Amino acid sequence: MDLGAVTQRSALHAKPSGLVLQYGTAGFRAHAGHLDHIMYRMGLLAVLRSKQTKSTIGVMVTASHNPEEDNGVKLIDPLGEMLAPSWEEHATRLANAEEQELPRELVGISEREAVDLQQDAFVVVGRDTRASSEKFSQSVIDGVTALGGLFHDYGLLTTPQLHYMVYCRNTGGQYGKATVEGYYQKLSKAFVELTKQASCSGDEHRTLKVDCANGIGALKLKEMQQYFSQGLSVQLFNDGTKGKLNHLCGADFVKSHQKPPEGMEMKSNERCCSFDGDADRIVYYYRDADGQFHLIDGDKIATLVSSFLKDLLVEIGENFNVGVVQTAYANGSSTRYLQEVMKVPVYCTKTGVKHLHHKAQEFDIGVYFEANGHGTALFSKAVEMKIKQLAKELEDNKGKAAKMLANVIDLFNQAAGDAISDMLVIEAILALKGLTAQQWDALYRDLPNRQLKVKVADRRVISTTDAERQVLTPPGLQEVISDLVKQYRLSRAFVRPSGTEDVIRVYAEADSQANADSLAHEVSLAVFQLAGGTGERPTS
Ligand code: G16
């Protein structure tokens, strides 16, 4: 390890003294002005991780749903999954080491992780459309080359596309071809095959309005649409030609404000969806004949997907174990519907794709979605092989179902939640089942809910347990929340520190929207008082 070169190059990416940042829910996220040293250091860390795993590692420069002024970076592990927790700790230590401590930290990580420094390293880099992202991806590459690593810069990519590239490269191309073209072809082929089998091909099922959050999703969907146009025509809004990234649009805005994005014209009963800034989340929605807005979030996506998969398995005659993974944000009605009507086991993990993904890997088929629209389905290797074999052997309806399932397996991005892949899966299912968005929405009725944010001096004062459903500290806060919850019917509330924004998140649900709003407000006040709120007191 040429520590001289590392230190010399680091001076060009100097850490602001005293700045402390943490590898959060999805990597580092902060105002772009604070991040150059983090980018360089994540390039260094990616080289060590690549040497240790003898695999290609990904580095994605994005702050996903955060505002344009922010940015962020995360590492992608060999099978396209999020970085292992022990390496998240290394990332935090490396990011916070003062300049003179940097070489010692690098040596420390290499020793603790038994990194073979003679091993070659290969890192792939991708970035979103933020103004700061291009320069930051160069800083990442500076870090990679300072430690003698080789790299490939994919340039502009959606986050899930980079996850896919890493997975393809580390499976010798078995998962697919590690090019953007390869991604478009694999997904589109599966989608077109699936939709060919749909008997109902009315126009109303085959056009979709997509709000791209003024982000990378617009560029990639524009490139990709020619590949699947046989099965679906998409109309793009907020494509980045004029609006600001994630501003009054995108999946996070639509989900948290429960209203349509700006810049999209919605006629009644038209099917619409929103991606977030790096196209790893999707939510659907429509207006009914009375002009009322209806959100179809990640919970309903999980329900649609798992019921479709279960029906196919029944048709094929296979009894694989299917599980659904959610977080505390899952609407209570969705959990009840999955458990009581669909009879599917449901598990709750902490927020963050990494937690859901790992839980989902425990099943033959694991479906995971956060309510905010981030998710996918995972199929064990044995299931995938069996289904692809059955697709060749079986005939009639069983054969048809096995072929469908084989295509669904190819259509999901199993490396990460992916707005484009999920959109195509949903469109295929709706077409195959002949369902409108309204019929899908009618599967169950969401409990009214509200999400709020509270600013506190230090969000680490709140710690939680029980998959973030209970507060441990500060003392007394959980008791107040529990007492408030008792005052409402069908109610639930929890609070947790965000891992991507400098806020405490508050979630409440109850029997009416007014009650959910009121409960969320009262819980926000309790957080403000007991956890060191700053600025204005929350107002209702
Ligand atoms: C990221 C994570 C998601 C998480 C979201 C919000 O999404 O990948 O798993 O739900 O942040 O996390 P938090 O509530 O901790 O801020 P994205 O789309 O921003 O990458």
Side-chain angles (χ1 to χ4, degrees), residues 25-26 29 63-66 74 82 276 278 280-281 329 351-353 356 370 372 374 496-501 505:
T25 311
R29 297 255 172 111
S64 192
H65 77 273
N66 291 50
K74 68 175 181 187
M82 299 292 192
D276 71 341
D278 63 341
D280 61 1
R281 302 191 205 171
Y329 291 104
T351 300
V353 178
L356 291 106
E370 292 185 294
N372 64 22
H374 202 146
R496 54 174 287 276
S498 161
T500 61
E501 296 172 53
R505 296 199 194 279

Side-chain angles (χ1 to χ4, degrees), residues 76-82 162-164 166-167 170 357 414-416:
I76 301 173
D77 253 358
L79 295 181
E81 72 277 47
M82 299 292 192
L162 189 66
H163 284 264
Y164 167 92
V166 173
Y167 196 12
N170 289 319
H357 193 92
Q414 293 190 56

Side-chain angles (χ1 to χ4, degrees), residues 452-463 471 473-474 477 495-499 501-506 523-538:
L452 297 173
K453 300 177 190 181
V454 184
K455 278 250 173 216
V456 296
D458 179 1
R459 63 192 145 131
R460 287 171 303 180
V461 299
I462 294 197
S463 63
V471 169
T473 60
L477 180 55
V495 305
R496 54 174 287 276
S498 161
E501 296 172 53
D502 193 12
V503 294
I504 300 297
R505 296 199 194 279
V506 172
V523 172
S524 303
L525 283 176
V527 170
F528 191 84
Q529 279 156 8
L530 297 172
T534 55
E536 298 268 300
R537 270 166 70 87

Side-chain angles (χ1 to χ4, degrees), residues 341-355:
V341 180
M342 285 185 53
K343 311 274 182 226
V344 189
V346 180
Y347 297 83
C348 182
T349 70
K350 292 203 281 192
T351 300
V353 178
K354 56 193 173 199
H355 302 295

